[in-house]
Amino acid sequence: MKVSPSIIAASFLDIKSIIRELENNGADYIHLDVMDGVFVDNLTFGPDIASEILSFSRLGGDTHLMIKNPEKYLEKFLDTGTEILTFHIESEGNKMSMIKRIKERGRKAGITLNPSTPLIEVEPYLAHVDLVLVMTVHPGFYGQKFKHEMINRLKELKKLREKGGFNFLIEVDGGINKETAPLVAPYVDIIVSGSFIFKKGSIKENITFLKRL
Ligand code: DX5
Ligand code: ZN
């Protein structure tokens, strides 16, 4: 299993040592949650801070844009050096041209959807994207409760991938912990986790647990 720790659940004052700890303990990516206070009810950081974080780290950037107008900021986020750039189907802009642009710049194009959005909405993009992120909480905050009904969505998405012969990776984000990670593991390639990794016990043990799934 690949693991992408969501650093909004970490202490920003300790970010340098936390990044080194993630690198030394098997993390595969750094998950960067970008929120604009409009698309979701919270604010985090923009491309300048994402750039600083990614240039300090040797881990791949896994940027999750929760912003109203991702197209407007696409180049700026590509300039951060992120390996994966994921935007929401519910956001504004031309989705196909965003996917094309992300791929032209040699990055992985990801699409994601809120739990309340039907999976069928992303189907037209499945042949084109490199990654589908399944949200298992409503986006905006770390530490929320996993929505169990999203397990069916993961199963369905994996089936669609098999049937269509598609190559996208499946990533899951929201409420992943010791109890819920084993439930999603059969269907996903990458697990995002915030509060489970940073808020209890040791970062090393928590990452190791997820990696072994
Ligand atoms: C939610 C974010 C998630 C979140 C994950 O809006 O997209 O990445 O930080 O945190 P946990 O694992 O605590 O749900
Ligand atoms: Zn996220």
Side-chain angles (χ1 to χ4, degrees):
M1 182 64 67
K2 290 213 155 52
V3 176
S4 187
S6 167
I7 56 163
I8 58 166
S11 164
F12 267 74
L13 291 181
D14 299 330
I15 204 68
K16 283 170 134 180
S17 64
I18 284 171
I19 289 170
R20 290 291 173 260
E21 207 174 342
L22 297 178
E23 290 170 351
N24 295 333
N25 290 296
D28 297 281
Y29 295 99
I30 299 185
H31 187 80
L32 298 170
D33 287 302
V34 178
M35 306 185 188
D36 67 354
V38 180
F39 184 78
V40 288
D41 206 10
N42 199 2
L43 290 159
T44 55
F45 49 79
D48 294 347
I49 288 177
S51 276
E52 281 202 297
I53 290 170
L54 294 181
S55 57
F56 181 73
S57 175
R58 57 180 160 79
L59 298 175
D62 171 25
T63 303
H64 175 192
L65 298 178
M66 285 159 274
I67 63 178
K68 191 177 169 210
N69 192 347
E71 205 165 22
K72 182 173 173 189
Y73 298 99
L74 207 70
E75 296 303 325
K76 282 213 150 85
F77 280 102
L78 288 167
D79 291 343
T80 65
T82 190
E83 186 177 322
I84 303 169
L85 187 56
T86 299
F87 57 84
H88 272 260
I89 185 86
E90 304 87 354
S91 63
E92 291 175 359
N94 183 322
K95 308 296 172 330
M96 274 314 292
S97 79
M98 283 194 269
I99 292 167
K100 193 168 159 256
R101 184 64 189 145
I102 297 169
K103 288 165 96 168
E104 267 169 16
R105 292 207 45 191
R107 315 305 168 75
K108 289 189 173 69
I111 197 155
T112 184
L113 71 171
N114 292 338
S116 56
T117 302
L119 186 61
I120 196 163
E121 305 263 328
V122 299
E123 282 194 30
Y125 306 101
L126 295 182
H128 307 282
V129 290
D130 300 298
L131 178 144
V132 180
L133 171 61
V134 173
M135 292 304 302
T136 41
V137 298
H138 186 77
F141 299 89
Y142 69 81
Q144 302 184 75
K145 210 169 160 282
F146 177 83
K147 289 183 183 290
H148 281 263
E149 61 275 25
M150 290 297 111
I151 294 174
N152 272 337
R153 167 166 296 185
L154 289 165
K155 280 186 197 167
E156 209 184 316
L157 185 62
K158 193 174 176 187
K159 260 196 222 145
L160 286 172
R161 179 169 73 179
E162 276 161 16
K163 259 215 240 146
F166 302 130
N167 294 315
F168 58 81
L169 297 164
I170 302 178
E171 184 177 35
V172 65
D173 183 8
I176 299 295
N177 55 36
K178 244 196 172 112
E179 286 71 48
T180 57
L183 307 177
V184 301
Y187 315 108
V188 307
D189 307 291
I190 307 174
I191 280 181
V192 177
S193 174
S195 45
F196 169 65
I197 290 180
F198 295 109
K199 296 291 187 206
K200 249 195 234 157
S202 94
I203 289 179
K204 182 186 179 146
E205 277 171 29
N206 296 339
I207 292 178
T208 305
F209 172 82
L210 296 174
K211 288 226 43 113
R212 288 197 178 134
L213 291 170

